[in-house]
Amino acid sequence: RSSGEGRASGACRGPAAGEGGAAGWCCAALMAGAVPSVWELWLGGVLPPEAVWLAPSFVFYSVAQVVTFIPCYAWVRIAWPGAKDPWALADTIVSLAVFPLLAYSAISHCWQTHETVDRRWRGLTPEGHLHMTLYLTRQILHLPVQWMQKMPKKHLMMMSMHHVLSIICYANGLLTGRMQFWGCLDGCCEMSTIFLNNLYMCKEASWKGKELKEYVPASLYALNGFLLWMSFLVFRLALFPFWLYHWYRDIHDFPGTWERSSFIERYVYPCVTLLLLVLSIIWFVPVTRGFIKALKGISGDTNGKSREKPGKAE
């Protein structure tokens, strides 16, 4: 094995600083080379005993999200009986808490494991486990919820395909303990979703017959639009090409990474990232239009105030 991509035992000699005991089961399995990929499991392999340790956190995050969503949906029905899409609004309220946690855990894991190829392909941290498990359960639970939301059928099918592929990739990463850096690097794109959720809340929620954005200063609303636009640019349009380039460099410079990867890791991971890039390019158009509209709103408010001043003086 080449020195760069080499020693799995070096990466898993014991939980390094920041990794904690939560990943110990997977480290031991990696040292023994005993954890098969999801693809191998589907071909008739036996579920590794180490995967049993994933069950408590999987159940915890699933129950936590369900228990949170139910009262949020009930609250939407009571507080906003005329809401156009109560399922989407309740989902957004839950997302206000979920996506900052997803973004933080993804960035934190990537920061801790980016330095060496061994850490990128086999590094484990508590933050990575948090991100992978929370995102996986989120996608599984969100599949039926989005079918209750009002959205164009084409968009619904596209999002359902995205969810299914994400479930496959994240489940593989959790079960094998491999390439969690790459999963979390893709997960950093959820930074943009934080500002998108703010935008949706301002438009869909109301108070005393007015949309929430009517109570938000135009400058603050435009700032959120700017942050959404910038986060799309940095955490999507720049991030996904960065992912593809560095993933290619790793498999080119350290062939052992490719040789020890499964079908999903070789082909599905990069294809999903490429799909995310294409979707982000498509979505960037309405995001840019919305940002420009918000800027015009600030300009309109400023002009309106300047016209009001002479009248008040008179």
Side-chain angles (χ1 to χ4, degrees), residues 203-255:
K203 287 185 174 182
E204 297 301 321
S206 60
W207 178 256
K208 295 182 178 180
K210 294 183 179 180
E211 294 181 351
L212 287 185
K213 72 176 183 179
E214 299 295 330
Y215 297 95
V216 177
S219 57
L220 187 60
Y221 187 76
L223 175 62
N224 183 80
F226 171 73
L227 293 174
L228 172 60
W229 187 83
M230 279 299 298
S231 61
F232 243 81
L233 194 64
V234 175
F235 289 97
R236 287 181 178 270
L237 300 188
L239 176 71
F240 297 136
F242 176 87
W243 190 106
L244 292 166
Y245 171 75
H246 282 279
W247 178 82
Y248 169 76
R249 285 299 303 269
D250 270 5
I251 63 175
H252 179 270
D253 295 344
F254 309 102

Short mmCIF file of all heavy atoms in Angstrom, two decimals, residues 203-255:
data_model
loop_
_atom_site.label_atom_id
_atom_site.label_comp_id
_atom_site.label_asym_id
_atom_site.label_seq_id
_atom_site.Cartn_x
_atom_site.Cartn_y
_atom_site.Cartn_z
N LYS A 203 -42.37 34.59 3.90
CA LYS A 203 -43.40 34.66 2.86
C LYS A 203 -44.68 33.90 3.22
O LYS A 203 -45.78 34.33 2.89
CB LYS A 203 -42.85 34.12 1.55
CG LYS A 203 -41.85 35.04 0.87
CD LYS A 203 -41.44 34.49 -0.49
CE LYS A 203 -40.54 35.47 -1.24
NZ LYS A 203 -40.19 34.97 -2.59
N GLU A 204 -44.54 32.76 3.89
CA GLU A 204 -45.68 31.88 4.10
C GLU A 204 -46.36 32.07 5.45
O GLU A 204 -47.55 31.80 5.58
CB GLU A 204 -45.24 30.41 3.95
CG GLU A 204 -44.73 30.07 2.57
CD GLU A 204 -45.76 30.32 1.48
OE1 GLU A 204 -46.96 30.04 1.72
OE2 GLU A 204 -45.38 30.82 0.41
N ALA A 205 -45.62 32.49 6.47
CA ALA A 205 -46.23 32.73 7.77
C ALA A 205 -46.77 34.16 7.82
O ALA A 205 -46.28 35.05 7.12
CB ALA A 205 -45.20 32.52 8.88
N SER A 206 -47.79 34.36 8.65
CA SER A 206 -48.42 35.68 8.72
C SER A 206 -48.75 36.02 10.17
O SER A 206 -48.78 35.15 11.05
CB SER A 206 -49.69 35.72 7.87
OG SER A 206 -50.62 34.74 8.34
N TRP A 207 -49.00 37.31 10.39
CA TRP A 207 -49.39 37.78 11.72
C TRP A 207 -50.36 38.95 11.55
O TRP A 207 -50.06 39.93 10.90
CB TRP A 207 -48.15 38.22 12.51
CG TRP A 207 -48.46 38.76 13.88
CD1 TRP A 207 -48.46 40.07 14.26
CD2 TRP A 207 -48.85 38.01 15.02
NE1 TRP A 207 -48.81 40.19 15.59
CE2 TRP A 207 -49.05 38.94 16.08
CE3 TRP A 207 -49.04 36.65 15.27
CZ2 TRP A 207 -49.44 38.53 17.36
CZ3 TRP A 207 -49.42 36.26 16.55
CH2 TRP A 207 -49.61 37.18 17.57
N LYS A 208 -51.54 38.78 12.11
CA LYS A 208 -52.59 39.79 12.01
C LYS A 208 -52.88 40.16 10.55
O LYS A 208 -53.00 41.33 10.20
CB LYS A 208 -52.20 41.05 12.80
CG LYS A 208 -52.10 40.80 14.30
CD LYS A 208 -51.77 42.08 15.05
CE LYS A 208 -51.72 41.82 16.55
NZ LYS A 208 -51.40 43.06 17.32
N GLY A 209 -52.96 39.15 9.72
CA GLY A 209 -53.34 39.35 8.32
C GLY A 209 -52.22 39.80 7.41
O GLY A 209 -52.45 40.03 6.22
N LYS A 210 -51.02 39.96 7.92
CA LYS A 210 -49.88 40.38 7.10
C LYS A 210 -48.80 39.32 7.11
O LYS A 210 -48.59 38.63 8.11
CB LYS A 210 -49.29 41.70 7.62
CG LYS A 210 -50.22 42.90 7.50
CD LYS A 210 -49.50 44.16 7.98
CE LYS A 210 -50.38 45.39 7.85
NZ LYS A 210 -49.68 46.62 8.31
N GLU A 211 -48.09 39.21 5.99
CA GLU A 211 -46.96 38.29 5.93
C GLU A 211 -45.87 38.76 6.88
O GLU A 211 -45.72 39.96 7.13
CB GLU A 211 -46.41 38.21 4.51
CG GLU A 211 -47.35 37.59 3.50
CD GLU A 211 -46.75 37.52 2.12
OE1 GLU A 211 -45.66 38.11 1.90
OE2 GLU A 211 -47.36 36.88 1.23
N LEU A 212 -45.11 37.80 7.41
CA LEU A 212 -44.05 38.16 8.34
C LEU A 212 -43.04 39.13 7.73
O LEU A 212 -42.45 39.94 8.45
CB LEU A 212 -43.32 36.90 8.82
CG LEU A 212 -44.08 36.00 9.81
CD1 LEU A 212 -43.17 34.88 10.27
CD2 LEU A 212 -44.59 36.80 11.01
N LYS A 213 -42.84 39.03 6.43
CA LYS A 213 -41.85 39.93 5.80
C LYS A 213 -42.28 41.39 5.87
O LYS A 213 -41.44 42.28 5.75
CB LYS A 213 -41.59 39.52 4.36
CG LYS A 213 -42.71 39.81 3.39
CD LYS A 213 -42.27 39.44 1.97
CE LYS A 213 -43.33 39.78 0.96
NZ LYS A 213 -42.90 39.45 -0.42
N GLU A 214 -43.58 41.64 6.10
CA GLU A 214 -44.05 43.02 6.26
C GLU A 214 -43.56 43.63 7.56
O GLU A 214 -43.48 44.85 7.71
CB GLU A 214 -45.58 43.06 6.21
CG GLU A 214 -46.19 42.58 4.91
CD GLU A 214 -45.84 43.47 3.73
OE1 GLU A 214 -45.65 44.69 3.96
OE2 GLU A 214 -45.74 42.96 2.61
N TYR A 215 -43.24 42.75 8.53
CA TYR A 215 -42.75 43.23 9.82
C TYR A 215 -41.22 43.26 9.88
O TYR A 215 -40.65 43.78 10.83
CB TYR A 215 -43.27 42.31 10.95
CG TYR A 215 -44.77 42.31 11.07
CD1 TYR A 215 -45.54 41.34 10.45
CD2 TYR A 215 -45.44 43.28 11.83
CE1 TYR A 215 -46.92 41.31 10.57
CE2 TYR A 215 -46.81 43.27 11.95
CZ TYR A 215 -47.56 42.29 11.32
OH TYR A 215 -48.92 42.29 11.43
N VAL A 216 -40.59 42.67 8.88
CA VAL A 216 -39.12 42.62 8.84
C VAL A 216 -38.61 43.83 8.06
O VAL A 216 -39.10 44.11 6.97
CB VAL A 216 -38.64 41.32 8.18
CG1 VAL A 216 -37.11 41.29 8.07
CG2 VAL A 216 -39.12 40.11 8.96
N PRO A 217 -37.63 44.55 8.61
CA PRO A 217 -37.06 45.69 7.86
C PRO A 217 -36.56 45.24 6.49
O PRO A 217 -35.99 44.15 6.36
CB PRO A 217 -35.90 46.15 8.75
CG PRO A 217 -36.28 45.70 10.12
CD PRO A 217 -37.02 44.41 9.94
N ALA A 218 -36.79 46.09 5.50
CA ALA A 218 -36.40 45.72 4.13
C ALA A 218 -34.90 45.43 4.03
O ALA A 218 -34.49 44.53 3.29
CB ALA A 218 -36.78 46.85 3.17
N SER A 219 -34.11 46.15 4.79
CA SER A 219 -32.66 45.94 4.74
C SER A 219 -32.29 44.56 5.29
O SER A 219 -31.40 43.89 4.76
CB SER A 219 -31.94 47.02 5.53
OG SER A 219 -32.40 47.04 6.88
N LEU A 220 -32.98 44.10 6.35
CA LEU A 220 -32.71 42.79 6.94
C LEU A 220 -33.17 41.68 6.00
O LEU A 220 -32.49 40.65 5.85
CB LEU A 220 -33.42 42.67 8.28
CG LEU A 220 -33.11 41.42 9.12
CD1 LEU A 220 -31.62 41.36 9.44
CD2 LEU A 220 -33.93 41.42 10.40
N TYR A 221 -34.31 41.92 5.35
CA TYR A 221 -34.84 40.95 4.38
C TYR A 221 -33.87 40.82 3.19
O TYR A 221 -33.60 39.73 2.71
CB TYR A 221 -36.21 41.41 3.91
CG TYR A 221 -36.93 40.41 3.02
CD1 TYR A 221 -37.54 39.28 3.58
CD2 TYR A 221 -37.03 40.61 1.65
CE1 TYR A 221 -38.21 38.38 2.78
CE2 TYR A 221 -37.70 39.71 0.85
CZ TYR A 221 -38.29 38.60 1.42
OH TYR A 221 -38.95 37.69 0.63
N ALA A 222 -33.34 41.97 2.75
CA ALA A 222 -32.37 41.95 1.64
C ALA A 222 -31.06 41.29 2.07
O ALA A 222 -30.42 40.60 1.28
CB ALA A 222 -32.11 43.37 1.15
N LEU A 223 -30.66 41.49 3.33
CA LEU A 223 -29.44 40.85 3.83
C LEU A 223 -29.57 39.34 3.81
O LEU A 223 -28.63 38.64 3.41
CB LEU A 223 -29.15 41.34 5.25
CG LEU A 223 -27.95 40.66 5.95
CD1 LEU A 223 -26.66 40.95 5.20
CD2 LEU A 223 -27.85 41.14 7.40
N ASN A 224 -30.74 38.85 4.20
CA ASN A 224 -30.97 37.41 4.14
C ASN A 224 -30.90 36.92 2.69
O ASN A 224 -30.33 35.85 2.41
CB ASN A 224 -32.32 37.05 4.75
CG ASN A 224 -32.57 35.56 4.78
OD1 ASN A 224 -32.09 34.85 5.65
ND2 ASN A 224 -33.34 35.06 3.81
N GLY A 225 -31.45 37.72 1.77
CA GLY A 225 -31.39 37.36 0.35
C GLY A 225 -29.95 37.34 -0.15
O GLY A 225 -29.57 36.47 -0.94
N PHE A 226 -29.16 38.31 0.31
CA PHE A 226 -27.74 38.35 -0.09
C PHE A 226 -26.99 37.13 0.45
O PHE A 226 -26.20 36.51 -0.26
CB PHE A 226 -27.10 39.63 0.43
CG PHE A 226 -25.60 39.67 0.26
CD1 PHE A 226 -25.04 39.85 -1.00
CD2 PHE A 226 -24.75 39.51 1.35
CE1 PHE A 226 -23.66 39.87 -1.17
CE2 PHE A 226 -23.38 39.53 1.19
CZ PHE A 226 -22.83 39.72 -0.07
N LEU A 227 -27.24 36.78 1.72
CA LEU A 227 -26.58 35.61 2.32
C LEU A 227 -27.02 34.32 1.63
O LEU A 227 -26.22 33.39 1.46
CB LEU A 227 -26.87 35.55 3.81
CG LEU A 227 -26.26 36.69 4.64
CD1 LEU A 227 -26.73 36.61 6.09
CD2 LEU A 227 -24.74 36.64 4.57
N LEU A 228 -28.28 34.25 1.22
CA LEU A 228 -28.76 33.09 0.47
C LEU A 228 -28.03 33.00 -0.87
O LEU A 228 -27.56 31.93 -1.27
CB LEU A 228 -30.28 33.20 0.25
CG LEU A 228 -30.90 32.15 -0.68
CD1 LEU A 228 -30.68 30.74 -0.14
CD2 LEU A 228 -32.39 32.42 -0.87
N TRP A 229 -27.92 34.13 -1.54
CA TRP A 229 -27.24 34.16 -2.84
C TRP A 229 -25.77 33.79 -2.71
O TRP A 229 -25.24 32.99 -3.47
CB TRP A 229 -27.39 35.56 -3.44
CG TRP A 229 -26.88 35.68 -4.84
CD1 TRP A 229 -27.55 35.36 -6.00
CD2 TRP A 229 -25.58 36.17 -5.24
NE1 TRP A 229 -26.75 35.61 -7.09
CE2 TRP A 229 -25.54 36.11 -6.65
CE3 TRP A 229 -24.48 36.64 -4.55
CZ2 TRP A 229 -24.42 36.50 -7.38
CZ3 TRP A 229 -23.37 37.04 -5.27
CH2 TRP A 229 -23.35 36.97 -6.67
N MET A 230 -25.10 34.36 -1.71
CA MET A 230 -23.68 34.09 -1.50
C MET A 230 -23.45 32.64 -1.07
O MET A 230 -22.49 32.00 -1.51
CB MET A 230 -23.11 35.04 -0.43
CG MET A 230 -22.76 36.41 -0.96
SD MET A 230 -21.48 36.38 -2.25
CE MET A 230 -20.10 35.68 -1.36
N SER A 231 -24.32 32.13 -0.20
CA SER A 231 -24.15 30.75 0.25
C SER A 231 -24.39 29.77 -0.89
O SER A 231 -23.75 28.71 -0.95
CB SER A 231 -25.11 30.45 1.42
OG SER A 231 -26.46 30.62 1.04
N PHE A 232 -25.30 30.11 -1.79
CA PHE A 232 -25.49 29.28 -2.99
C PHE A 232 -24.22 29.29 -3.84
O PHE A 232 -23.80 28.25 -4.36
CB PHE A 232 -26.67 29.80 -3.81
CG PHE A 232 -27.80 28.83 -3.92
CD1 PHE A 232 -28.73 28.70 -2.90
CD2 PHE A 232 -27.94 28.02 -5.04
CE1 PHE A 232 -29.76 27.80 -2.99
CE2 PHE A 232 -28.97 27.11 -5.14
CZ PHE A 232 -29.89 27.00 -4.12
N LEU A 233 -23.63 30.45 -3.97
CA LEU A 233 -22.44 30.59 -4.79
C LEU A 233 -21.26 29.81 -4.20
O LEU A 233 -20.56 29.08 -4.91
CB LEU A 233 -22.08 32.08 -4.91
CG LEU A 233 -21.08 32.47 -5.99
CD1 LEU A 233 -21.62 32.18 -7.38
CD2 LEU A 233 -20.73 33.95 -5.86
N VAL A 234 -21.06 29.95 -2.89
CA VAL A 234 -19.90 29.34 -2.23
C VAL A 234 -20.15 27.87 -1.89
O VAL A 234 -19.31 27.01 -2.19
CB VAL A 234 -19.54 30.12 -0.95
CG1 VAL A 234 -18.41 29.43 -0.19
CG2 VAL A 234 -19.15 31.56 -1.30
N PHE A 235 -21.29 27.59 -1.25
CA PHE A 235 -21.53 26.25 -0.71
C PHE A 235 -22.24 25.31 -1.69
O PHE A 235 -22.56 24.18 -1.32
CB PHE A 235 -22.34 26.35 0.58
CG PHE A 235 -21.54 26.90 1.73
CD1 PHE A 235 -21.63 28.24 2.07
CD2 PHE A 235 -20.69 26.09 2.47
CE1 PHE A 235 -20.90 28.76 3.12
CE2 PHE A 235 -19.95 26.59 3.52
CZ PHE A 235 -20.05 27.94 3.84
N ARG A 236 -22.47 25.78 -2.90
CA ARG A 236 -23.05 24.89 -3.91
C ARG A 236 -22.28 24.98 -5.24
O ARG A 236 -21.65 24.03 -5.67
CB ARG A 236 -24.54 25.18 -4.12
CG ARG A 236 -25.41 24.72 -2.95
CD ARG A 236 -26.88 24.99 -3.17
NE ARG A 236 -27.69 24.49 -2.07
CZ ARG A 236 -28.22 23.27 -2.01
NH1 ARG A 236 -28.02 22.42 -3.00
NH2 ARG A 236 -28.94 22.90 -0.97
N LEU A 237 -22.34 26.13 -5.87
CA LEU A 237 -21.73 26.26 -7.20
C LEU A 237 -20.21 26.12 -7.16
O LEU A 237 -19.61 25.68 -8.15
CB LEU A 237 -22.12 27.60 -7.83
CG LEU A 237 -23.62 27.83 -8.03
CD1 LEU A 237 -23.86 29.10 -8.83
CD2 LEU A 237 -24.28 26.64 -8.71
N ALA A 238 -19.59 26.51 -6.06
CA ALA A 238 -18.14 26.33 -5.93
C ALA A 238 -17.82 25.02 -5.20
O ALA A 238 -16.82 24.36 -5.51
CB ALA A 238 -17.53 27.50 -5.18
N LEU A 239 -18.65 24.64 -4.24
CA LEU A 239 -18.37 23.46 -3.40
C LEU A 239 -18.37 22.16 -4.19
O LEU A 239 -17.46 21.33 -4.06
CB LEU A 239 -19.39 23.38 -2.27
CG LEU A 239 -19.28 22.14 -1.37
CD1 LEU A 239 -18.03 22.21 -0.50
CD2 LEU A 239 -20.52 21.99 -0.50
N PHE A 240 -19.38 21.95 -5.03
CA PHE A 240 -19.51 20.66 -5.72
C PHE A 240 -18.38 20.43 -6.74
O PHE A 240 -17.85 19.32 -6.82
CB PHE A 240 -20.89 20.53 -6.36
CG PHE A 240 -22.01 20.54 -5.34
CD1 PHE A 240 -23.16 21.28 -5.54
CD2 PHE A 240 -21.90 19.79 -4.17
CE1 PHE A 240 -24.19 21.28 -4.60
CE2 PHE A 240 -22.92 19.79 -3.22
CZ PHE A 240 -24.07 20.55 -3.43
N PRO A 241 -17.99 21.43 -7.54
CA PRO A 241 -16.80 21.23 -8.38
C PRO A 241 -15.55 20.97 -7.54
O PRO A 241 -14.69 20.16 -7.93
CB PRO A 241 -16.69 22.55 -9.16
CG PRO A 241 -18.07 23.07 -9.20
CD PRO A 241 -18.67 22.70 -7.88
N PHE A 242 -15.42 21.65 -6.39
CA PHE A 242 -14.31 21.42 -5.47
C PHE A 242 -14.32 19.96 -5.01
O PHE A 242 -13.27 19.31 -4.95
CB PHE A 242 -14.43 22.37 -4.29
CG PHE A 242 -13.40 22.17 -3.20
CD1 PHE A 242 -12.17 22.79 -3.28
CD2 PHE A 242 -13.68 21.35 -2.10
CE1 PHE A 242 -11.22 22.61 -2.28
CE2 PHE A 242 -12.74 21.16 -1.11
CZ PHE A 242 -11.50 21.79 -1.19
N TRP A 243 -15.49 19.45 -4.65
CA TRP A 243 -15.65 18.05 -4.24
C TRP A 243 -15.16 17.11 -5.34
O TRP A 243 -14.36 16.20 -5.09
CB TRP A 243 -17.12 17.77 -3.93
CG TRP A 243 -17.44 16.47 -3.26
CD1 TRP A 243 -17.80 16.29 -1.96
CD2 TRP A 243 -17.50 15.16 -3.87
NE1 TRP A 243 -18.05 14.96 -1.71
CE2 TRP A 243 -17.87 14.24 -2.86
CE3 TRP A 243 -17.27 14.68 -5.15
CZ2 TRP A 243 -18.01 12.88 -3.10
CZ3 TRP A 243 -17.39 13.31 -5.39
CH2 TRP A 243 -17.76 12.43 -4.39
N LEU A 244 -15.67 17.31 -6.55
CA LEU A 244 -15.33 16.42 -7.66
C LEU A 244 -13.85 16.47 -7.99
O LEU A 244 -13.23 15.43 -8.26
CB LEU A 244 -16.16 16.79 -8.90
CG LEU A 244 -17.66 16.53 -8.78
CD1 LEU A 244 -18.42 17.24 -9.90
CD2 LEU A 244 -17.96 15.03 -8.81
N TYR A 245 -13.24 17.66 -7.95
CA TYR A 245 -11.83 17.80 -8.27
C TYR A 245 -10.96 17.07 -7.24
O TYR A 245 -10.06 16.31 -7.60
CB TYR A 245 -11.45 19.28 -8.33
CG TYR A 245 -9.97 19.51 -8.44
CD1 TYR A 245 -9.29 19.29 -9.64
CD2 TYR A 245 -9.23 19.95 -7.33
CE1 TYR A 245 -7.92 19.49 -9.74
CE2 TYR A 245 -7.86 20.16 -7.43
CZ TYR A 245 -7.21 19.92 -8.63
OH TYR A 245 -5.86 20.11 -8.72
N HIS A 246 -11.22 17.30 -5.96
CA HIS A 246 -10.38 16.71 -4.93
C HIS A 246 -10.63 15.21 -4.78
O HIS A 246 -9.70 14.46 -4.44
CB HIS A 246 -10.57 17.45 -3.61
CG HIS A 246 -9.83 18.74 -3.56
ND1 HIS A 246 -8.49 18.82 -3.27
CD2 HIS A 246 -10.24 20.01 -3.81
CE1 HIS A 246 -8.10 20.08 -3.32
NE2 HIS A 246 -9.13 20.82 -3.65
N TRP A 247 -11.84 14.78 -5.04
CA TRP A 247 -12.11 13.33 -5.04
C TRP A 247 -11.31 12.67 -6.16
O TRP A 247 -10.70 11.62 -5.97
CB TRP A 247 -13.60 13.09 -5.22
CG TRP A 247 -14.01 11.66 -5.28
CD1 TRP A 247 -14.22 10.80 -4.21
CD2 TRP A 247 -14.29 10.88 -6.45
NE1 TRP A 247 -14.59 9.57 -4.67
CE2 TRP A 247 -14.65 9.58 -6.03
CE3 TRP A 247 -14.28 11.16 -7.82
CZ2 TRP A 247 -14.99 8.57 -6.93
CZ3 TRP A 247 -14.62 10.16 -8.71
CH2 TRP A 247 -14.97 8.88 -8.26
N TYR A 248 -11.29 13.29 -7.35
CA TYR A 248 -10.51 12.75 -8.47
C TYR A 248 -9.02 12.75 -8.14
O TYR A 248 -8.31 11.78 -8.44
CB TYR A 248 -10.77 13.58 -9.73
CG TYR A 248 -9.80 13.25 -10.85
CD1 TYR A 248 -9.95 12.08 -11.60
CD2 TYR A 248 -8.73 14.10 -11.13
CE1 TYR A 248 -9.06 11.78 -12.61
CE2 TYR A 248 -7.83 13.80 -12.14
CZ TYR A 248 -7.99 12.63 -12.88
OH TYR A 248 -7.09 12.32 -13.87
N ARG A 249 -8.54 13.82 -7.51
CA ARG A 249 -7.13 13.89 -7.16
C ARG A 249 -6.74 12.78 -6.19
O ARG A 249 -5.67 12.18 -6.30
CB ARG A 249 -6.80 15.25 -6.55
CG ARG A 249 -6.73 16.40 -7.54
CD ARG A 249 -5.65 16.19 -8.59
NE ARG A 249 -4.34 16.02 -7.99
CZ ARG A 249 -3.51 17.01 -7.74
NH1 ARG A 249 -3.86 18.25 -8.04
NH2 ARG A 249 -2.32 16.77 -7.21
N ASP A 250 -7.62 12.49 -5.24
CA ASP A 250 -7.32 11.42 -4.28
C ASP A 250 -7.23 10.06 -4.96
O ASP A 250 -6.30 9.29 -4.70
CB ASP A 250 -8.39 11.39 -3.18
CG ASP A 250 -8.04 12.29 -2.00
OD1 ASP A 250 -7.02 13.00 -2.08
OD2 ASP A 250 -8.80 12.29 -1.01
N ILE A 251 -8.19 9.74 -5.82
CA ILE A 251 -8.15 8.42 -6.45
C ILE A 251 -7.05 8.33 -7.51
O ILE A 251 -6.56 7.24 -7.83
CB ILE A 251 -9.52 8.05 -7.08
CG1 ILE A 251 -9.90 9.02 -8.20
CG2 ILE A 251 -10.60 8.00 -6.02
CD1 ILE A 251 -11.17 8.64 -8.93
N HIS A 252 -6.65 9.50 -8.06
CA HIS A 252 -5.56 9.52 -9.04
C HIS A 252 -4.20 9.40 -8.35
O HIS A 252 -3.33 8.63 -8.78
CB HIS A 252 -5.62 10.80 -9.87
CG HIS A 252 -4.52 10.92 -10.89
ND1 HIS A 252 -3.31 11.53 -10.60
CD2 HIS A 252 -4.43 10.49 -12.18
CE1 HIS A 252 -2.53 11.48 -11.65
NE2 HIS A 252 -3.19 10.86 -12.64
N ASP A 253 -4.01 10.15 -7.28
CA ASP A 253 -2.71 10.17 -6.59
C ASP A 253 -2.52 8.97 -5.66
O ASP A 253 -1.40 8.56 -5.39
CB ASP A 253 -2.57 11.46 -5.78
CG ASP A 253 -2.53 12.70 -6.67
OD1 ASP A 253 -2.31 12.54 -7.88
OD2 ASP A 253 -2.73 13.81 -6.14
N PHE A 254 -3.64 8.41 -5.18
CA PHE A 254 -3.58 7.27 -4.25
C PHE A 254 -4.50 6.17 -4.76
O PHE A 254 -5.65 6.06 -4.31
CB PHE A 254 -3.98 7.71 -2.84
CG PHE A 254 -3.23 8.92 -2.35
CD1 PHE A 254 -3.84 10.17 -2.37
CD2 PHE A 254 -1.94 8.81 -1.90
CE1 PHE A 254 -3.16 11.29 -1.93
CE2 PHE A 254 -1.24 9.93 -1.45
CZ PHE A 254 -1.85 11.18 -1.47
N PRO A 255 -4.06 5.37 -5.73
CA PRO A 255 -4.91 4.35 -6.37
C PRO A 255 -5.56 3.38 -5.39
O PRO A 255 -6.62 2.82 -5.68
CB PRO A 255 -3.94 3.63 -7.30
CG PRO A 255 -2.83 4.59 -7.55
CD PRO A 255 -2.68 5.36 -6.27
#
